[in-house]
Amino acid sequence: MSVDLVEVVRSGFRECVHRGSAVVLRPDGEPLVEVGAVHGPIFPRSTNKPLQALTLLRNGFEPVDDAELAIATASHFGEPDHVQLVHRLLDRFGFTENDLECPPDLPFEDQARAHALAGGDRGQAARRIFMNCSGKHAAMLATCVINDWPTRGYLEVGHPLQQAVLATVADVTGEPETDLGIDGCGLPIVPVSLVNLARAYAAFATAPVDTPERRVADAIRAHPRVISGTDGPDFRVMTATPGLVCKIGADGVHAGALPDGSAFAYKIDDGADRARLPLTLAILQRMGIEWTDAHAELATPAVLGGGARVGIIRAIPGVL
């Protein structure tokens, strides 16, 4: 059963409540906080991208640099540098964006979206390379070439690449076999529990140097803007919290871990993005990070009335 996690307060009145489930783990992997349904399966959405990137490294993918590994792990905003990194990866292995099997989309970031729309009518502006998962798809194509696997139909659950992903998810999370879903980009998605998702992130954050897990974690830490975008939640949180590795997922999922192995994962039931930062920051405070002005600013976004601050969005005191 989910619980009230985040409230929207306008003019001293609780206007909205966002419910969900959250787990915080100690460095030894045992729960420090459990609220709601943390042992049942959820779709991790893009929080599974580090596990998919780990699969690629385990199967011979060798990025040119950490930025390329980061774009392979990204939910990017379609900004020019993001698109350039995806193009670089496609070019290196002889592909074009037409080989990507993710759906066309517009950039998420406002200026990049406006530029795309200005370049053609709405029917032509959306492109596969703008889709937030295009870096992952490009790296998957590269891994198919390296292993002499088919480059068409790589989305299918029976494709060798997706079978390798399923094996990696089972290995890292310890989740039993279960029915799969289809993610927003068309790839199979494995349901996992929040507690095992948090433990997976702890394994990335604490992995020995030069292991594939550590390489993924270090690429995310080094390039938080590449894995998200201008003012993206992960960029802002990791910039404020050195050593943190974290990744958002669609529909209210977030997971992360600190270098000592303490970790978290949560799911907001209604998928509301506005609940994300207050909840993540409250969790980090519960994990004992050194609180700064940057954290305080992120923890209580403003509720506006007539252009003025008339309230806040905040994690409900005492829930965690």
Side-chain angles (χ1 to χ4, degrees), residues 226-309:
V226 171
I227 66 120
S228 56
T230 300
D231 291 331
D234 284 324
F235 171 70
R236 298 178 73 188
V237 172
M238 283 191 280
T239 299
T241 315
L244 175 68
V245 55
C246 66
K247 183 75 188 66
I248 67 167
D251 290 324
V253 186
H254 204 187
L258 293 169
D260 68 355
S262 55
F264 73 89
Y266 66 72
K267 162 69 177 168
I268 300 164
D269 284 357
D270 63 6
D273 281 339
R274 68 179 178 180
R276 249 188 230 288
L277 285 175
L279 184 55
T280 299
L281 271 293
I283 286 170
L284 291 175
Q285 190 170 39
R286 189 72 171 85
M287 292 166 72
I289 65 154
E290 184 177 348
W291 204 246
T292 67
D293 290 343
H295 292 108
E297 180 183 354
L298 296 174
T300 54
V303 172
L304 301 179
R309 184 183 182 103

Side-chain angles (χ1 to χ4, degrees), residues 3-169:
V3 300
D4 294 352
L5 292 174
V6 176
E7 62 184 0
V8 181
V9 180
R10 178 183 296 274
S11 303
F13 178 83
R14 180 190 272 189
E15 186 174 33
C16 302
V17 173
H18 299 288
R19 297 176 61 82
S21 303
V23 63
V24 182
L25 303 180
R26 297 185 177 93
D28 64 4
E30 292 303 309
L32 174 67
V33 175
E34 288 186 12
V35 291
V38 303
H39 295 282
I42 60 131
F43 284 135
R45 305 302 297 272
S46 285
T47 61
N48 70 355
K49 284 178 177 171
L51 284 76
Q52 291 168 320
L54 173 62
T55 304
L56 305 184
L57 292 179
R58 286 181 172 182
N59 284 275
F61 175 61
E62 192 56 48
V64 168
D65 51 28
D66 278 350
E68 192 169 277
L69 182 53
I71 202 68
T73 316
S75 297
H76 66 75
F77 282 13
E79 297 175 78
D81 57 327
H82 298 143
V83 174
Q84 183 180 18
L85 279 168
V86 180
H87 268 306
R88 188 180 83 178
L89 185 51
L90 290 170
D91 291 346
R92 187 152 62 88
F93 286 88
F95 295 107
T96 72
E97 69 175 279
N98 292 328
D99 294 301
L100 299 170
E101 295 184 5
C102 56
D105 204 352
L106 289 168
F108 183 80
E109 194 269 333
D110 289 344
Q111 290 188 8
R113 178 183 288 251
H115 187 268
L117 289 170
D121 63 40
R122 288 181 180 270
Q124 296 174 333
R127 293 169 54 187
R128 296 179 189 275
I129 205 162
F130 291 153
M131 201 268 171
N132 77 87
C133 300
S134 65
K136 172 178 71 175
H137 282 250
M140 286 185 170
L141 283 169
T143 305
C144 289
V145 169
I146 290 165
N147 288 278
D148 199 24
W149 293 334
T151 56
R152 292 189 181 274
Y154 67 87
L155 297 178
E156 300 299 324
V157 67
H159 190 281
L161 176 61
Q162 300 312 322
Q163 288 295 301
V165 171
L166 299 184
T168 297
V169 173

